[in-house]
Structure formats: structure tokens, C-alpha cells
Amino acid sequence: MYFHSLQFLFFLTLTFSLYWALHRHKWPRLGVLMVASVYFYSMWTPWPLVLFLGATGINHLCIKGFRRSQSPGVRKALLTVSIVSTLGVLCTFKYADMFRETAVALLGPLGIHVRTQAFGLLLPVGLSFFTFQALSYVVDQYRGEIQKEHTFFEHLLYLLFFPHLVAGPIVRASHLIERFDDTPSLTAEEGGRGLYRIAVGLAKKLIIADVLGSGLVDPVFASPEAYTSAECFVAAVAYSFELYFDFSAYSDIAIGTAALFGFKFAENFNRPYLATNLFDFWSRWHISLSNWLRDYLYRPLGGNRVSKPRALLNLMITMGLGGLWHGADWRFAIWGLAHGAMECFIRVWWWMTGKPPKEGKMAVVRAGLGWVATFTVVVLTRIVFRSPSLTHAGEMYLRLFEGSLGLANVSTLVWTMLAVAAVSHVTPLSFFHKAGDLFVRMPVPVRAVVLVLVGLGVRHLTSVETRPYVYFQF
């Protein structure tokens, strides 16, 4: 059940109606959300829910144990059990075949027999997001950052809540589970803003992302040898915009949907392609993941509070594992390590020369050059991210740098969507806030007409086949 399907809109309307009919009673309203979340996920396949239930059960028992124990050793042991079991589920179902293939490649030439047949395990949709959110909750409980002890039902609902389950954002406890006790409220303005956010997400997904993907990105990356260098470059840029508008669309709809139930999720994107260095980029892109890696990996490793060589190593570990989180293929780790290496270079440069001032005669020039360099790095490294293999990525790079000209295969529609994507990305956020204010001030019947017209317009403009969200594969 995709967010951009009519089926989801009917599902959302029914769930919304039942929830607010029972909103004064805690367990009935939470029961509505649990049933809705289980049904939502079951539309793909119900079997992973058994896996999620078991993983949550182990974590919940560990939380109960170290909340009641005064022994540091016992508490650390229980935390270790929780982390190992949770990551064990992720590694088994997502990375088992990758590790098997790597072992075959490394040990086979040495005469060591390794299973060559694939395990063929089902990869549950949203497993990576489930894992990181589950770990954050356990660690926050261990650290004492969550004061209240929640029931198993609340714990499970926090992880399965349907707006964020499949592709995030990774939601902290303070934004969801700690709000379960509060009687929810929803003003007309808050409801209107939630609907507006959903409408913006649908437009991003169906009008921009899907058109760029089907109109240029997919055919070029499938057969780069059939296109000129210029067309390959435009396709690489188009993919970066497709990925942003696809993923931020999902986040917009998730945030808007959560708002309709009285929950406020944190923002997940902040115009990342305006970043002037890679640190700035990762503070704007997939913010919930960047913050998770900072708080639960980089800082526990020592962050930048250790020696400079160790700080650089911590950065490389964080970016490498953050890259590998995206998919069961070493090319994702290489993509992450490439970003990590360039961030290390930037940090060493700053240690040597100091961070450049944000004001002064040369600040605008430095910012401009930094933006060009950052965007170029993001676009070029994304070729590894998008290609089905490193060999295929190499073919794309070779074709890209051959220098052949010609843009005959870039359609007018694709050029138009690229222009729309670029202009909307640089447009000040205040413009979208004012558009939201205008939408909220409309009478309810007018709002309904506007949404219907937007839906009809989207259907008319997009003749391409409806596509799943890119991050569903992660």
C-alpha cells in the first residue's frame, strides 16, 4: 500500500475517523493505530511482523532487566544482548547473502569450501529503519533519557506506527511514544497543514521524481553506452533530484499523516543541495539518519573528543557503516567511505587553516565554490549508489568522461521537471509556509476542491507508471 495510492487515502480516512472517535480513551485510540499499522504492513507481507514481534519482545525484556538492576555489569550485559540480537536480525535477513558471496570470493581460491547457494531469505520491507529505531529506544532507556517505563504494547506501536515504519523518518521517543499518554488534540489549522504537507509530498513524488526516473534516469543507467557523455551527466544530476524529491516526498507524507493523529515528527530534509561542504550536506540530508549515526555511533566511538587520527578513524567508520546500512552490497560501503574520506580531508584542512569565516569579502566566493564542489561530489558519488554493480558504475563513469556531446534523448518534459526541481529547491522556505497559510485559511469545501484538482492534475501530467519509493529497498 503506497502513500501515493487511492487505497492509502481510503485507509487513512477510515483510520483517522476511528481514531478521533475514540481519542479521549487511551487504549482504544492506540488500539486503532496498532490495528491500522499491522494492516498497513500486511499489505506487503505479514510474515515479517512475527520477526518484529520477537525482536521487540527480546528488547522489552532487556529494558525491564536493566531498569530494575543496580549492577553496572548486569545492565551492560543486557544492553549487549539487546544490541546483538537486534543487529543479528538485520545482518541475517539483509546481509547474509552478501557475507556469503564475500566469503566465496575470498576463501574459495584458498580451497576453503563455502556455501555457494543463496540463502534466499526474505528481506522485510523497512527492516533497516525498524532496527535503528529499536536500537535508539533501547539505548535511550539504558542511558536514562526516557524516564517512564512503557508497556510492551506501547513499545511495539512506537516501532510499527505506520507513517514511519517503511522508510522513516527515524522517530525519537520524545516525538511519539512519550506522547501516547497525552489526550491528542487537532485544530482545524493543524489538520489543514497536515493535509497540505501530504499534498506537497504527492506532488513531489508523482510530478517530479517519477517523471525524472522513468523519463531519463532508468534508461541511461540501464544502458549508458547508448547515450552521450552529456546525457549521462544530465541523468546523474536528474537522479540526485529524483532521489531527493522521492525520499523527501515520503517524509512529507509521513510527517503530514502523523500530524493528523496529533504527533509532530521532526523534519528530515533541509534543502540539502544548497550545502557548501559535505558536513553541511549531511546536516541537511536524511537528518534523522545523520543524527542517529552521530548520537549512537560516532559519539560513542569517541567522536572528536579523542586524538585527531582517532577522530578521523571514527568518522570513516561512521560513514562506512552508514553507507552499508543502505544496502547489502559493498558498493554502498564504498559510497559511504568516499564521503568519509572527503570529510576527513575537509577536517584536516580546517585543522591546518581554520574554518573559513562566514562573513567578509571572500565569504560569498568561498560559499559559491564550496557549493559547486559539494554538489559535484554528491552527484558523481551517487552513480555508485544508483548503479546495480561496481562494474556498471565503472561503465557509467567511462561514458561520462568520454566527452561526447548531444542531448537529443533528453525530452522537453524531463528538462521541464529538472527546472521545476531546481527552482523549487532554491525557493525560500517562507514561500511554502505562506502557501500553506493560504491553504489553511481556505474554507473546508474549497480545500477539498483544491486537493481533488491537484490529484486530477497530477494524474493528467504523469503518464508514467506509478513507482515504489526508492528507499523501500533499504
Side-chain angles (χ1 to χ4, degrees), residues 19-20 175 179 184-186 190 257-264:
Y19 177 83
W20 287 105
H175 293 146
R179 306 273 76 83
S185 61
L186 185 70
E190 291 168 339
T257 300
L260 294 180
F261 295 97
F263 300 107
K264 184 177 181 180

Side-chain angles (χ1 to χ4, degrees), residues 11-23 28-29 32-33 35-36 261:
F11 161 81
L12 179 59
T13 301
L14 177 59
T15 305
F16 176 86
S17 302
L18 291 173
Y19 177 83
W20 287 105
L22 302 170
H23 77 282
R29 72 170 179 265
V32 169
L33 295 183
V35 171
F261 295 97

